[in-house]
Amino acid sequence: MKSKHQLLSKAMKHAKNSSNTIEKFEEVWKERSEAVEQKRIDVKNSAEFKNFMKAAAPQAGAETNGQANSAAHDEDLIMEATGGEVFSLYDPWSKALIKNPVRNKKCGHIYDRGSVMLIITDNIGIRCPVLGCPNRSYIHPAHLV
């Protein structure tokens, strides 16, 4: 879009400079703008696209074995040695760091004991808050380990 806009601006300037009447300007502008609209623009040659591809490409020396590449990712996710499951260090309800973790036996998701107990004692019909959780049963204190 940026390239097309630049080409249309050039066409507008040319039409403006080459015409001395409004009718002539409209005629030249129509020809030039149609030519620009039909011209195919290759964005892969643009500097913005090249810079984007450099930024999106994996960095040299980065780990390629599926582990997190930065310290920021290491903070949010942990790989368990036994099952290889990934879970967040943050409680899905309070969004705070989990201080006293409990696991739901029905689905395996982990919550903070304080926040989950506050919610399920007040509300009987609460399901797992993790997005995409297949567990459709309500959370009961007996389900938490």
Side-chain angles (χ1 to χ4, degrees):
M1 288 178 67
K2 185 177 180 181
S3 299
K4 189 168 278 196
H5 175 71
Q6 289 172 344
L7 290 173
L8 285 171
S9 294
K10 287 179 186 178
M12 176 73 77
K13 287 178 185 176
H14 182 268
K16 180 180 166 186
N17 293 336
S18 67
S19 59
N20 51 5
T21 65
I22 292 178
E23 292 80 21
K24 179 73 172 165
F25 170 78
E26 288 176 351
E27 182 182 315
V28 173
W29 168 245
K30 184 177 179 183
E31 291 173 10
R32 293 285 185 159
S33 64
E34 286 176 357
V36 168
E37 290 295 331
Q38 291 182 3
K39 183 177 179 182
R40 185 178 171 116
I41 299 171
D42 186 17
V43 294
K44 291 183 180 179
N45 292 331
S46 69
E48 289 89 359
F49 181 80
K50 290 177 182 177
N51 289 337
F52 171 77
M53 291 306 291
K54 284 181 186 177
Q59 299 295 324
E63 297 179 36
T64 57
N65 60 359
Q67 294 179 350
N69 291 338
S70 67
H73 291 209
D74 291 341
E75 273 183 28
D76 292 342
L77 301 175
I78 290 181
M79 294 290 285
E80 288 183 6
T82 56
E85 298 175 33
V86 177
F87 64 90
S88 175
L89 292 174
Y90 297 95
D91 181 57
W93 279 296
S94 66
K95 305 296 184 214
L97 279 171
I98 297 174
K99 294 178 184 171
N100 190 3
V102 292
R103 181 182 300 272
N104 187 340
K105 289 192 284 186
K106 298 288 184 178
C107 63
H109 290 120
I110 298 173
Y111 323 113
D112 185 63
R113 178 177 291 281
S115 64
V116 73
M117 292 309 282
L118 278 173
I119 293 171
I120 65 173
T121 54
D122 292 341
N123 304 313
I124 297 171
I126 297 294
R127 293 187 176 133
C128 180
V130 177
L131 187 64
C133 181
N135 180 21
R136 294 292 166 212
S137 63
Y138 297 126
I139 299 173
H140 298 288
H143 297 162
L144 303 175
V145 182

